[in-house]
Amino acid sequence: MYIRTPALILLLLGPVLSSCASAQNRTSGDPLEPLNRAFFGLNTNIDKAILIPASKTYRAIAPKPARNGVRNFLQNLRSPVILANDVLQGEWKRAGQTVSRFAINTTVGVGGLFDVAKGAGIEKHKEDFGQTMAKAGISSGPYLVLPLLGPSSLRDAFGRLPDHYLTPLAYTRFDGKNTFTTARRVASVTDKRARSLKAVKKMRQNAFDEYISVRDLYWQTRKNAIANGQLEVEELPEFDISNAQPAPINGTSP
Amino acid sequence: MTIKRKILAAILALALPLASPVLASEQAVTFVQNNVSKVLQVLSDPALGDVQKGKLFSEVITQVTDVDVIARFVLGQYAATASTPEFERFARVFRGYALGVYQSELSRFGNEVLEVQSVQERKPGDSVVLTRISGGALSKKSRDVKWRVITIKGTPRVVDIEISGVWLSQHQRAEITGIITKNGGQISAATKMLCSQSKTCTVTG
């Protein structure tokens, strides 16, 4: 029943998502902008009131090696989800890397606290079910800002559910499971926010409209992740050079 | 002999179509190798004061990019309807803003070594040069940076830079067209917004 659920979701949502606007059609890909802006405002307030102070405290009390250990541990726990999506995408080489990283880091890396595999030249990568659906040709659908969870798209928001069922934790039962799950989520959010403090501050200072800036950053980084960092030159936009002036000589302005 | 010839012919048949775009992109690679290193040198020169560095950076960046082409690009669909004075006002303010952004984004690099990894040709005169910046302040880490190089009136120019999966000019276009749309298609709204962010804004209209 559990295993069949993601497949059923895909079956039901595939045609709906496919008919939605594509990721490249960015400006028209936000029909829910008023609602999204409301949730964006809510998330920003939560970020300023809770996440930023918590992240700063975390940075202050936990030294960098400890924070790296937490990050490595959390990333190692996510390996089964990454592996499942590697396999679903037919990325066998990357699946091999995920297996090797998980095996090395869980054993030599003391339960994932140390990223020994990286030192051995096996670089980490991320995958999720949203990316798997994108590889299968399912379009992103409209842009969404999820309360508490942040920027997403219709496709990627639904992708979170199968990802939940792709982790072994969903099928295991043990005392304190709820506490462990909650602690993991809190640690994950705090760690991610602590690592992005400087970048988000810079973005907020420079953005003309923070909402638009975050939306574009989401689309661009998401597209890059789906392509596994590989450049798709044919998808780059055109530059109009028909009105360009001749090049300046010796660095003088045209 | 016949087999050897056949193998040779097959190799040539495979290699020749691949060789042509590489040759066409060589100019872009040389341009990035020579000029981007110059930009990084200016930004990392400890002997230069902030004012002197800014002035020199502005001079070098003028040789490396074509800000007017980028200004037209960031206006998106509104570029087609912009009058000449309207565009000129916007481009003048955008120049100051863009220089600040490039300086801020590139100043994260210093004495690093820029190494060209590969080049991909989008079409003749339009290539993306993939580089890896390493050493210096980055220590053992390295950063991949992509440079979109377009040949404009016979001269290569960088029109976009991708750092950490984000193309700067594309990002600026999203922001600027967003402002214009929000203000009923008024390009002057974006000009005023850019002006408010610039210390050296001289727009009068």
Side-chain angles (χ1 to χ4, degrees), chain B residues 103-170:
Chain B
Q103 191 164 352
S104 162
E105 290 297 326
L106 295 174
S107 58
R108 68 174 83 179
F109 307 115
N111 297 313
E112 288 81 6
V113 178
L114 180 124
E115 190 189 340
V116 173
Q117 300 282 303
S118 62
V119 60
Q120 272 181 266
E121 189 173 68
R122 188 172 170 270
K123 62 180 186 182
D126 185 350
S127 306
V128 176
V129 180
L130 288 84
T131 63
R132 180 157 291 171
I133 298 178
S134 58
L138 288 171
S139 189
K140 286 177 185 173
K141 292 177 188 171
S142 61
R143 188 71 72 113
D144 290 343
V145 182
K146 299 181 183 100
W147 311 82
R148 175 106 180 253
V149 181
I150 292 184
T151 303
I152 300 167
K153 307 276 179 194
T155 313
R157 287 284 182 262
V158 173
V159 292
D160 208 353
I161 306 168
E162 192 235 61
I163 304 172
S164 305
V166 177
W167 288 97
L168 292 183
S169 296
Q170 288 187 45

Side-chain angles (χ1 to χ4, degrees), chain A residues 176-194:
Chain A
K177 184 183 170 179
N178 287 343
T179 312
F180 176 78
T181 309
T182 308
R184 182 189 170 185
R185 278 186 191 143
V186 170
S188 177
V189 170
T190 312
D191 176 66
K192 274 183 192 162
R193 192 63 190 90

Side-chain angles (χ1 to χ4, degrees), chain B residues 34-118:
Chain B
N34 294 342
N35 292 283
V36 173
S37 303
K38 237 188 271 179
V39 173
L40 297 180
Q41 272 169 18
V42 169
L43 290 172
S44 64
D45 191 343
L48 295 173
D50 282 350
V51 178
Q52 207 182 354
K53 193 177 274 185
K55 199 181 163 199
L56 205 55
F57 179 77
S58 169
E59 280 175 21
V60 177
I61 216 81
T62 306
Q63 295 171 52
V64 175
T65 65
D66 189 320
V67 182
D68 280 356
V69 167
I70 301 171
R72 200 167 285 281
F73 173 78
V74 300
L75 281 176
Q77 70 269 34
Y78 299 106
T81 53
S83 66
T84 306
E86 209 172 20
F87 175 74
E88 282 173 356
R89 266 198 302 275
F90 173 79
R92 198 165 57 240
V93 178
F94 179 75
R95 176 180 294 274
Y97 165 76
L99 280 172
V101 172
Y102 300 147
Q103 191 164 352
S104 162
E105 290 297 326
L106 295 174
S107 58
R108 68 174 83 179
F109 307 115
N111 297 313
E112 288 81 6
V113 178
L114 180 124
E115 190 189 340
V116 173
Q117 300 282 303
S118 62

Side-chain angles (χ1 to χ4, degrees), chain A:
Chain A
M1 181 63 189
Y2 281 123
I3 295 163
R4 268 182 281 163
T5 309
L8 188 67
I9 291 166
L10 255 189
L11 203 67
L12 291 170
L13 289 172
V16 179
L17 292 167
S18 294
S19 63
C20 293
S22 81
Q24 286 131 39
N25 195 8
R26 288 179 196 150
T27 47
S28 60
D30 194 4
L32 302 170
E33 188 170 336
L35 183 68
N36 283 339
R37 278 192 185 269
F39 286 139
F40 185 79
L42 173 76
N43 289 348
T44 305
N45 289 336
I46 292 170
D47 184 52
K48 287 177 180 171
I50 301 167
L51 291 181
I52 292 177
S55 308
K56 282 183 175 172
T57 309
Y58 173 62
R59 278 182 78 100
I61 58 171
K64 200 174 178 186
R67 296 201 305 270
N68 286 345
V70 170
R71 179 186 174 187
N72 292 336
F73 178 74
L74 292 168
Q75 283 177 344
N76 199 49
L77 280 182
R78 211 178 145 71
S79 297
V81 178
I82 297 170
L83 174 64
N85 283 295
D86 282 336
V87 171
L88 286 169
Q89 291 174 34
E91 296 274 5
W92 306 111
K93 193 181 168 189
R94 283 163 72 91
Q97 288 170 343
T98 307
V99 171
S100 305
R101 280 184 56 81
F102 185 70
I104 293 169
N105 288 343
T106 306
T107 53
V108 188
V110 197
L113 286 173
F114 300 96
D115 192 352
V116 186
K118 192 183 176 185
I122 311 168
E123 288 290 333
K124 66 182 169 202
H125 65 267
K126 291 178 184 171
E127 287 296 348
D128 56 58
F129 204 74
Q131 292 186 47
T132 300
M133 285 194 281
K135 285 276 175 74
I138 297 172
S139 295
S140 64
Y143 177 69
L144 294 179
V145 179
L146 304 174
L148 302 173
L149 299 171
S152 189
S153 66
L154 185 62
R155 176 192 63 208
D156 298 338
F158 278 109
R160 299 177 76 96
L161 194 63
D163 275 340
H164 173 73
Y165 288 103
L166 288 173
T167 171
L169 203 62
Y171 306 97
T172 51
R173 285 180 186 175
F174 57 90
D175 286 340
K177 184 183 170 179
N178 287 343
T179 312
F180 176 78
T181 309
T182 308
R184 182 189 170 185
R185 278 186 191 143
V186 170
S188 177
V189 170
T190 312
D191 176 66
K192 274 183 192 162
R193 192 63 190 90
R195 279 186 280 129
S196 63
L197 279 170
K198 207 174 159 185
V200 173
K201 190 180 175 188
K202 191 178 170 189
M203 185 277 294
R204 282 182 174 153
Q205 281 169 347
N206 295 334
F208 299 126
D209 182 328
E210 209 181 302
Y211 173 81
I212 294 173
S213 188
V214 170
R215 185 177 65 192
D216 180 66
L217 289 172
Y218 175 76
W219 281 135
Q220 284 211 48
T221 50
R222 195 67 186 152
K223 195 175 167 188
N224 188 54
I226 291 163
N228 294 338
Q230 296 299 306
L231 181 64
E232 290 163 353
V233 281
E234 64 282 356
E235 286 188 14
L236 291 173
E238 284 291 340
F239 275 77
D240 177 13
I241 57 168
S242 57
N243 294 307
Q245 300 297 310
I249 300 160
N250 296 331
T252 51
S253 299

